[in-house]
Amino acid sequence: AGWIYAVFYFLIYVLSLPGGIIADRTQKYKGTIMSGLILMAAGYGILSVPVFAETPGFSWVLVLTCIALFIIAFGNGLFKGNLQVLVGQMYDNFEAEAAKQGPQALAEAKDKRDSGFQIFYVFINVGGLIAPFVAPLLRSWWLETNGMVYNAQLPALCHEFINNAAGMSAQALENLNTMIAAAGGNIADMAASCQNYLQIFNEGIHYSFIASVAAMCISLVIFF
């Protein structure tokens, strides 16, 4: 998981280079940005499909997840760097017009470039502020819809019980019983309750990516 996370974040930044090259070669900055938004929406759409790995270790679910992450990273590479360029180009044109009016007008135009980028960076990060609140709400909503409640410690204990119930300590089993009961499960059939909780929890995680798809589509409409 650590390696996947590290490579994903590396690709988010390094793929801005081919994204910039594509935009420079084609001279279609707006088209490249829109393509990036569509690719990111597609990647998040793949992640929103509620698949569940029945067996631990390497599986097609992991492969599908990595493909989705690459699509998101490549879409971001097409989108992010070129969006800054587009903002800069707007002020290039603005300053060129101001230069015809004299040094004073040009100085005022250059001041507006700084303000423009400040506004841009504030709004580009608004989603980053909202997302950590929206995704957990969607996950918790799905659990509650299925008569369960969110518990951050429960998935690990459920996995431990399914994989090695005999090796669990008495304290861990007691904690599991308490948490499953509080979360809305049936302690009489602990294996089924653990499997069911993991299934619903996993679905809630996947469904939270629907918010990302919606955000990408809204961004695309506004940009268009």
Side-chain angles (χ1 to χ4, degrees):
W3 270 105
I4 292 170
Y5 192 79
V7 171
F8 174 62
Y9 259 80
F10 168 74
L11 289 175
I12 277 179
Y13 287 96
V14 79
L15 288 177
S16 294
L17 180 59
I21 292 170
I22 290 169
D24 282 339
R25 294 279 174 86
T26 62
Q27 289 295 298
K28 294 180 180 178
Y29 293 93
K30 292 179 181 179
T32 305
I33 290 166
M34 288 191 284
S35 298
L37 281 167
I38 292 167
L39 274 178
M40 281 193 283
Y44 285 123
I46 294 170
L47 289 181
S48 69
V49 178
V51 291
F52 189 73
E54 295 293 340
T55 54
F58 188 82
S59 69
W60 67 270
V61 176
L62 179 61
V63 174
L64 186 67
T65 301
C66 289
I67 290 171
L69 291 173
F70 179 80
I71 291 171
I72 293 167
F74 187 66
N76 185 77
L78 294 173
F79 169 79
K80 194 173 182 180
N82 291 315
L83 196 60
Q84 277 92 323
V85 171
L86 200 64
V87 175
Q89 286 175 344
M90 290 166 58
Y91 285 93
D92 288 341
N93 298 337
F94 184 62
E95 288 174 12
E97 290 297 320
K100 298 175 184 177
Q101 301 171 24
Q104 181 65 30
L106 179 59
E108 290 175 3
K110 287 185 175 180
D111 286 340
K112 288 185 178 181
R113 177 189 288 267
D114 293 337
S115 299
F117 270 102
Q118 285 174 357
I119 293 168
F120 167 75
Y121 278 112
V122 166
F123 279 94
I124 203 75
N125 288 304
V126 165
L129 177 65
I130 296 171
F133 298 99
V134 174
L137 283 173
L138 288 170
R139 176 198 57 206
S140 297
W141 166 79
W142 183 246
L143 284 165
E144 289 170 8
T145 301
N146 288 273
M148 300 177 182
V149 295
Y150 172 68
N151 187 316
Q153 297 175 311
L154 195 48
L157 285 171
C158 285
H159 279 297
E160 188 178 354
F161 183 87
I162 291 168
N163 295 328
N164 186 25
M168 289 182 71
S169 67
Q171 183 62 54
L173 285 169
E174 184 181 343
N175 291 341
L176 180 60
N177 284 338
T178 303
M179 291 179 190
I180 283 288
N186 179 15
I187 61 173
D189 189 354
M190 186 59 73
S193 292
C194 284
Q195 194 70 25
N196 188 46
Y197 188 85
L198 288 173
Q199 178 73 42
I200 301 301
F201 181 86
N202 180 71
E203 288 174 357
I205 295 289
H206 281 287
Y207 289 150
S208 68
F209 285 105
I210 293 173
S212 300
V213 177
M216 292 295 107
C217 292
I218 292 167
S219 298
L220 183 61
V221 169
I222 293 170
F223 182 77
F224 186 78

